[in-house]
Amino acid sequence: MNTMKKMLRVLAVEDSEDDFELIRNELAEGGFTVVHERVETATSLKTALEGEPWDVVICDHNLPAMNSISALKIVRAAAENLPFIVVSGLIPDETAIEAMRYGARDFIRKDNLSRLTPVVERELQQAATRADLEATQLRLQRVSHFDSLTGLPNSEHLFVHLRSMTLSTGQERPFAIFLIDLNRFRKITKTLGVLAGDKVLLEAAKRLRMALGEEDFIARLGADRFVAVVPHLEQEAQAGEVSIAIHQYLDEVFQVDGQELFVKASVGASFYPKDGLEWGDLFKNAESALYGAKADGGSSFRAYKAEMDSFGKERLILETALYHALEKKQFILHYQPQFDLSSGRIIGAEALVRWQHPEMGMIPPGEFIPLLEETGLIVPVGEWVLRTACAQNKQWQDAGLAPIRMAVNLSAMQFRKPGLSCAIREILRETGLYPEYLELEITENIAMHAEEMVIAILDELRDIGIQIAIDDFGTGYSSLSYLKRFPIDKLKIDQSFVRDCKGGLNDGGIVMAIIGMGRSLKLKVIAEGVETLMQADFLKLNGCDEVQGYFYGKPMEGGELARLLGCDVRKCGVDAPW
Ligand code: C2E
Ligand code: MG
Ligand code: MG
């Protein structure tokens, strides 16, 4: 015979010691080692429920201080799943039905105790099944409502939360939604990989928890976007304080795999009920504010304003149209001539892209290049620009025009996508243009980030004879140390400094300094944005090599530049100091 007995922890709600002794014997005979506590009042029942973890409650129906139904209510409030069995004398049917409604599992008459053991066993089994089910449900709920990486609530959960906030609070209880976007996240995953990106997200989630209060609801919406719902906030000033806390935490350097990373965040906020009564509107408006903050760049914050709507809509329309612009052949190139200051000859042209939209007209690059960059479309469009500019230059040469160098602008994103130098070599091969007639304009910021990778690409390009110019020089980091390390040929002085050359005694200091810097590093120097004779004189006097600007020629269609190339510029009506 199996002597191993099962331990059974019984909470007995029973006023008769003798009756419980009978119950206990019955259970012992059924193979249980009974540990029990006997209670008679509501208070002692509550205390007992707080203490031990019980396997079963066995309850008499009629007690001096309460009956089985009131006991059941107390038990259900404390332990939903705990088996509750009434062992009693005769009770009326209505009482039995009511007890069942509250979750009593079975009735056993005191004169029929032989049923007790099988009922307890069945109940223990069912309670275990219910517990398993609950655990599974909980796990499923976690999966469907929480982000598996950060453990934060996910979008599903957020929308349920927002819906309940907007439905239940009533308009007298305001709150704010903050949308938080990590600015440099894409760049980090691109250069350091997805795992490093995950570490940044985990750390960002942790920091957001620290930045925000316990009452605040924080969710991750996927990618690098987080949301915080902060109750009792109704004004921009208060929201500004929250965003300062968020920025303080997220702007701190991140340490990932021994690397120091600066992430920075853009934050947009909208307020309930001021900016919308429905959670969908609030969310959309917070998104508009976020776009506004992103446009400001760096770590910035914007609260929603009604006028942002039109900005968001315009942007959406522009973005959609931009997706089709390349296939619909809506991009065109204009060419702006570049002149040698001592000879006065055209020695180059800069290709500048324009978007000719059938309804919106000619859109300047300042309005769509940032969008192309954000959407990644700059890569195919940039390739189109390169191919078209090289083909155009070759065509002029084939037509017998004096050969010039074609300058093409490159975006940072084109450097990030592998294969840039291959693509350029392929374009040169396809079009038949010699590499010395191609010049690439990059900005200082491209040169400063991911230095080694950029240097390697530039080395490859320069090895085959392509020229490299630093565009908008002077507006970025302008550090001498990188100028020495980077394989470059030319500095292009930014137009803002050229504009300063007004002929006054202290004007043009920066321009002179850049020309001197170029000379000592043996780099050519070109000035862009030359608009007046005075500026042209100043540049010539100070030894600038080349010029480009409205004074000499605006960006123009290919045919027009060809005409200019075909004649002697000095006779083309440009009254310049050569
Ligand atoms: P950028 O490369 O610095 O080009 C010079 C800009 O100054 C051009 O504006 C040109 O039209 C303008 N400009 C030239 N001379 C003068 C002048 O005398 N006075 C004034 N006020 N402006 C002058 P645009 O064509 O609007 O291009 C703006 C920027 O867009 C360019 O600046 C460049 O960064 C970017 N961009 C243009 N085309 C491309 C392209 O194909 N690829 C990339 N990645 N960027 C491009
Ligand atoms: Mg340029
Ligand atoms: Mg420039």
Side-chain angles (χ1 to χ4, degrees), residues 226-295:
F226 295 89
V227 179
V229 182
V230 179
H232 319 303
L233 258 191
E234 53 188 327
Q235 281 166 11
E236 193 174 329
Q238 296 168 293
E241 279 167 31
V242 173
S243 86
I244 288 172
I246 293 174
H247 281 132
Q248 261 170 359
Y249 277 91
L250 292 183
D251 284 358
E252 277 285 309
V253 64
F254 281 60
Q255 297 279 356
V256 173
D257 300 337
Q259 287 241 23
E260 290 201 332
L261 301 173
F262 289 94
V263 173
K264 310 267 180 194
S266 302
V267 181
S270 68
F271 303 89
Y272 175 85
K274 177 173 84 65
D275 298 331
L277 296 176
E278 301 269 326
W279 65 269
D281 290 337
L282 283 170
F283 194 79
K284 186 177 74 106
N285 291 341
E287 215 161 24
S288 295
L290 176 68
Y291 283 133
K294 271 181 151 326

Side-chain angles (χ1 to χ4, degrees), residues 350 409 441 471-472 492-495 528:
E350 178 176 11
N409 294 283
E441 290 193 6
D471 200 357
D472 305 338
K492 197 169 190 186
I493 310 174
D494 189 66
Q495 30 187 303
E528 69 177 325

Side-chain angles (χ1 to χ4, degrees), residues 44-118:
S44 54
L45 173 60
K46 281 180 194 159
T47 317
L49 283 166
E50 279 165 18
E52 290 277 320
W54 301 105
D55 295 317
V56 62
V57 178
I58 293 180
C59 184
D60 192 5
H61 176 60
N62 274 318
L63 293 118
M66 61 181 163
N67 68 13
S68 64
I69 290 176
S70 43
L72 182 54
K73 287 180 188 168
I74 293 170
V75 171
R76 283 291 162 260
E80 220 175 315
N81 201 16
L82 183 60
F84 186 96
I85 299 164
V86 182
V87 177
S88 159
L90 214 53
I91 55 171
D93 283 353
E94 310 83 73
T95 313
I97 290 164
E98 198 186 352
M100 293 292 252
R101 252 198 18 235
Y102 282 106
R105 311 290 307 178
D106 211 331
F107 289 92
I108 293 166
R109 295 236 308 272
K110 282 185 175 167
D111 57 7
N112 188 15
L113 277 184
S114 59
R115 278 190 65 227
L116 186 59
T117 299

Side-chain angles (χ1 to χ4, degrees), residues 332-334 336-337 350-354 363-370 372-373 378 381-382 384-386 407-412 414 441 443 446 471-473 492-495 498-499 527-532 535 548-555:
I332 56 161
L333 289 187
H334 277 179
Q336 188 176 28
E350 178 176 11
L352 294 158
V353 68
R354 271 98 186 86
I363 304 168
E367 281 182 33
F368 64 88
I369 297 266
L372 285 177
E373 286 177 333
I378 190 69
V381 174
W384 175 87
V385 170
L386 269 162
V408 175
N409 294 283
L410 283 188
S411 272
Q414 289 173 274
E441 290 193 6
T443 59
I446 301 184
D471 200 357
D472 305 338
F473 187 77
K492 197 169 190 186
I493 310 174
D494 189 66
Q495 30 187 303
V498 175
R499 214 162 291 143
E528 69 177 325
V530 183
E531 291 183 349
T532 65
Q535 291 163 352
Q548 171 184 346
Y550 291 174
F551 178 64
Y552 295 95
K554 289 196 169 179

Side-chain angles (χ1 to χ4, degrees), residues 475-490:
T475 56
Y477 297 86
S478 310
S479 108
L480 253 182
S481 69
Y482 97 76
L483 277 184
K484 282 187 186 148
R485 285 169 16 80
F486 271 77
I488 50 179
D489 304 278
K490 197 188 267 187

